[in-house]
């Protein structure tokens, strides 16, 4: 059955913002279909095509390449944001070819109120969520009171569901969180039923469609959002997102057998960043962080927040590899390290004098972890070097950069196949099997 599993999965190996959007865009060109399977518009994927920047939060990045783009059941879907994104692409003369699974959970206006109200109630212990209502929407799925895309497109079902949820959450928000609704039930119904009517044409059973694509030997690309360290179970709980940004989630977020996952690409930023609260063992202090943050333009795509920055962390990546089963690595933003005299990689941690190779399971242990660093000589990757790299490829990469990358590869025992050294698609090197 040649071609039966021509599937590629792109996964964030750190705290999100590793540069998945750019890689997905490169891979999308050669794919027949691009699928999102978890998260919602808390994600922010920046793609630069011919110097033009596209920022997507909800739509699969493949839409920019005009590919069949699917949103699987594992996604929390905000139809208000979907409309904005589709309309803004239309202005750029891009028509989406979109399919949405009827089982997708819908983000309602009260989910935003709860997201904000709960963060405020947590005070200094807040998670630093994107406030997009994604977590409260998933919570409703587990509570079995969620509104699905299938309800959104049917006025009667929508009205019944809104009726229960509106009064239930009005009570919760006013009495528990001290938050008033600034929308009436009728307004929510009018807005959402109009969106349902508009998007009905996109309804498709994504599980069936993706399986059909694969059976026919077509190339399917699965686009992960966020990163492994934000996994709801395995990340730095409670400072995590509300979905599972790991490879296994593609199976339940689409409706697909694990046997159909073939290539699993880890997107690894050449250093580490994090937005929001939570432990970060290799984090740099404020003065040291400034250089990397500015060089790497490390400000959130979704919320504009300054990202926290730190050195590359191997215990973190070892765990990511264990959870995801990476078949190859794509290293991104290598150019950002250019000009730093001394580079560090945390090879392991010490916790109470004991050497630890694997990322600990709980924050109280992570807080005690002291990184054991390996030092590397810095390299320079200026515009002239990048030009040479574009023309000549990997062989002309500075040997000091090769040493830095070789260490990562050896430690994780996973080959690096892609190196990104700038925001544009042309700033991408392939080693071994070409991806872009
Ligand atoms: P939520 O996903 O909005 O609930 O936010 C929970 C945590 O995940 C916060 O620390 C966010 O900053 C973080 N987060 C959510 N989505 C992303 C992303 O796409 N990139 C990086 N961090 C994210
Ligand atoms: Mg992002």
């Amino acid at each position: 059955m040649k071609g039966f599993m021509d599937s590629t999965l792109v996964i964030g190996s750190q705290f999100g913002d590793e540069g998945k959007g750019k890689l997905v865009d490169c891979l999308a060109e050669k794919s027949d279909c691009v699928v999102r399977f978890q998260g919602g518009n808390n994600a922010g994927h920046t793609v630069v095509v011919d110097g033009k920047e596209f920022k997507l939060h909800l739509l699969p990045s493949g839409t920019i390449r005009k590919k069949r783009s699917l949103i699987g059941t594992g996604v929390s879907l905000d139809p208000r944001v979907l409309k904005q994104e589709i309309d803004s692409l239309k202005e750029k003369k891009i028509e989406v070819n979109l399919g949405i699974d009827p089982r997708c959970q819908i983000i309602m206006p009260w989910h935003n109120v709860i997201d904000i109200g709960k963060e405020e109630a947590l005070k200094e212990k807040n998670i630093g969520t994107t406030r997009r209502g994604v977590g409260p929407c998933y919570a409703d799925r587990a509570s079995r009171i969620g509104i699905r895309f299938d309800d959104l497109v049917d006025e009667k079902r929508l009205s019944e569901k809104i009726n229960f949820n509106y009064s239930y959450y009005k009570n919760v928000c006013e009495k528990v969180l001290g938050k008033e609704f600034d929308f009436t039930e009728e307004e929510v119904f009018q807005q959402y039923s109009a969106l349902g009517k508009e998007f009905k044409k996109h309804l498709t059973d994504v599980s069936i469609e993706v399986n059909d694509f694969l059976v026919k030997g077509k190339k399917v690309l699965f686009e992960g959002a966020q990163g492994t360290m934000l996994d709801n179970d395995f990340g730095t709980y409670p400072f995590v997102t509300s979905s599972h940004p790991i490879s296994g989630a593609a199976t339940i977020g689409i409706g697909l057998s694990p046997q159909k996952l073939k290539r699993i690409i880890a997107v690894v930023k050449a250093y580490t960043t994090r937005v929001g609260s939570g432990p970060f063992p290799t984090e740099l202090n404020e003065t040291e962080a400034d250089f990397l943050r500015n060089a790497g333009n490390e400000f959130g795509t979704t919320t504009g927040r300054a990202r926290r920055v730190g050195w590359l962390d191997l215990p973190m990546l070892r765990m990511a590899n264990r959870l995801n089963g990476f078949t190859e690595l794509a290293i991104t933003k290598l150019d950002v390290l250019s000009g730093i005299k001394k580079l560090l990689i945390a090879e392991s941690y010490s916790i109470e004098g004991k050497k630890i190779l694997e990322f600990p399971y709980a924050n109280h242990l992570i807080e005690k972890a002291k990184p054991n660093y390996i030092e590397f000589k810095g390299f320079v990757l200026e515009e002239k070097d990048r030009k040479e790299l574009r023309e000549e490829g990997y062989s002309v990469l500075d040997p000091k950069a090769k040493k830095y990358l070789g260490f990562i590869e050896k430690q994780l025992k996973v080959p690096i196949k892609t190196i990104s050294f700038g925001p544009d698609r042309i700033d991408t090197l392939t080693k071994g099997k070409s991806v872009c």
Side-chain angles (χ1 to χ4, degrees):
M1 279 255 224
K2 195 172 171 291
F4 183 62
M5 300 187 300
D6 208 342
S7 65
T8 301
L9 181 47
V10 175
I11 291 286
S13 62
Q14 294 150 320
F15 292 106
D17 307 313
E18 296 92 352
K20 295 180 290 295
K22 176 184 158 176
L23 189 73
V24 168
D25 175 58
C26 284
L27 288 159
E29 204 170 20
K30 291 184 197 143
S31 303
D32 297 295
C33 172
V34 183
V35 195
R36 268 200 65 182
F37 55 89
Q38 47 74 225
N41 58 303
N42 47 354
H45 292 166
T46 309
V47 180
V48 182
V49 183
D50 300 330
K52 242 195 259 162
E53 197 174 68
F54 294 86
K55 284 187 196 290
L56 294 176
H57 299 286
L58 180 58
L59 284 169
S61 301
T63 46
I64 297 166
R65 300 270 150 216
K66 301 177 182 156
K67 299 290 174 163
R68 180 65 173 159
S69 301
L70 299 174
I71 296 182
T73 180
V75 172
S76 278
L77 186 142
D78 189 328
R80 301 163 297 180
V81 174
L82 186 66
K83 182 165 170 55
Q84 280 168 13
E85 292 200 348
I86 291 178
D87 290 350
S88 92
L89 286 181
K90 236 183 227 158
E91 277 168 24
K92 293 176 177 153
K93 306 269 176 291
I94 298 175
E95 280 294 329
V96 296
N97 178 3
L98 178 69
I100 301 170
D101 195 274
R103 307 166 187 89
C104 273
Q105 296 285 327
I106 301 297
I107 297 179
M108 302 300 294
W110 42 86
H111 292 140
N112 300 92
V113 181
I114 299 162
D115 204 348
I116 294 165
K118 205 151 57 170
E119 283 284 272
E120 286 173 5
L122 282 166
K123 298 203 176 91
E124 71 283 355
K125 291 200 167 116
N126 73 78
I127 291 156
T129 74
T130 60
R131 304 186 161 209
R132 299 297 186 264
V134 178
C137 177
Y138 280 123
D140 279 359
R141 176 176 72 183
S143 303
R144 274 74 39 89
I145 57 169
I147 300 178
R148 310 214 286 185
F149 186 61
D150 188 42
D151 304 316
L152 187 74
V153 302
D154 180 286
E155 280 196 347
K156 188 163 172 292
R157 277 199 304 274
L158 182 66
S159 143
E160 279 168 16
K161 297 248 169 153
I162 286 182
N163 185 258
F164 170 80
N165 279 275
Y166 185 91
S167 48
Y168 178 81
Y169 278 124
K170 191 168 162 46
N171 255 315
V172 171
C173 289
E174 282 178 5
K175 296 190 181 140
V176 181
L177 298 172
K179 290 263 168 207
E180 300 283 331
F181 277 6
D182 60 2
F183 42 82
T184 65
E185 184 180 331
E186 184 55 23
E187 281 164 359
V188 177
F189 175 74
Q190 290 303 336
Q191 184 184 21
Y192 274 68
S193 61
L195 290 165
K197 265 196 204 116
E198 187 172 344
F199 296 143
K200 194 170 184 169
K201 59 180 180 286
H202 297 299
L203 190 146
T204 183
D205 191 317
V206 169
S207 169
I208 294 178
E209 199 174 324
V210 169
N211 275 278
D212 280 353
F213 266 114
L214 290 171
V215 169
K216 287 180 186 143
K218 302 274 189 202
K219 286 188 194 316
V220 182
L221 180 62
F222 304 122
E223 176 179 3
Q226 289 90 38
T228 300
M229 300 310 301
L230 293 175
D231 184 89
N232 196 244
D233 276 303
F234 291 96
T236 53
Y237 191 91
F239 303 106
V240 291
T241 193
S242 41
S243 69
H244 297 282
I246 59 176
S247 59
T251 68
I252 48 169
I254 293 167
L256 189 73
S257 158
Q259 292 178 340
K260 291 191 178 152
L261 302 181
K262 189 177 146 201
R263 226 171 132 202
I264 305 178
I265 307 179
V267 187
V268 182
K269 197 182 285 197
Y271 47 97
T272 312
T273 62
R274 169 166 210 165
V275 228
S277 326
F280 185 171
T282 64
E283 185 168 16
L284 291 165
N285 68 37
E286 261 320 294
T287 32
E288 289 174 320
D290 260 2
F291 175 81
L292 261 186
R293 185 178 298 124
N294 292 325
N297 191 25
E298 296 294 357
F299 298 89
T301 312
T302 304
T303 56
R305 289 178 288 178
R307 295 178 185 144
R308 298 158 64 192
V309 300
W311 298 116
L312 194 77
D313 185 324
L314 284 174
M316 202 178 269
L317 294 176
R318 278 189 203 101
M319 177 169 94
N321 189 30
R322 171 162 47 87
L323 299 178
N324 290 292
F326 296 134
T327 58
E328 63 187 84
L329 309 179
I331 306 288
T332 61
K333 299 190 107 166
L334 190 66
D335 54 306
V336 174
L337 296 179
S338 170
I340 302 175
K341 294 223 159 38
K342 186 178 83 179
L343 301 171
L344 301 182
I345 295 181
E347 174 262 344
S348 60
Y349 298 149
S350 287
I351 299 182
E352 288 166 352
K354 210 170 145 209
K355 184 172 162 170
I356 307 282
L357 287 173
E358 295 288 336
F359 199 80
Y361 59 80
N363 291 348
H364 58 87
L365 297 171
I366 301 166
E367 273 147 20
K368 290 185 198 152
K370 298 206 170 32
N372 298 315
Y373 287 113
I374 306 277
E375 209 177 295
F376 293 83
K377 282 200 184 105
F379 49 84
V380 177
L381 243 173
E382 286 173 351
E383 183 45 38
K384 69 170 178 21
D385 308 300
R386 289 169 50 195
K387 187 166 178 286
E388 210 185 353
L389 274 176
R390 283 179 209 130
E391 285 158 9
E392 310 283 331
Y394 182 74
S395 63
V396 296
L397 182 66
D398 185 333
K400 294 195 229 53
K402 282 183 177 161
K403 205 164 173 193
Y404 184 83
L405 297 175
F407 182 73
I408 302 168
E409 207 168 34
K410 203 165 147 215
Q411 287 285 316
L412 297 178
K413 301 184 186 71
V414 183
I416 295 174
K417 296 228 169 145
T418 311
I419 300 160
S420 167
F421 54 93
D424 211 298
R425 306 179 89 217
I426 53 171
D427 299 322
T428 315
L429 263 182
T430 55
K431 242 176 92 195
K433 196 173 166 190
S434 162
V435 289
C436 298

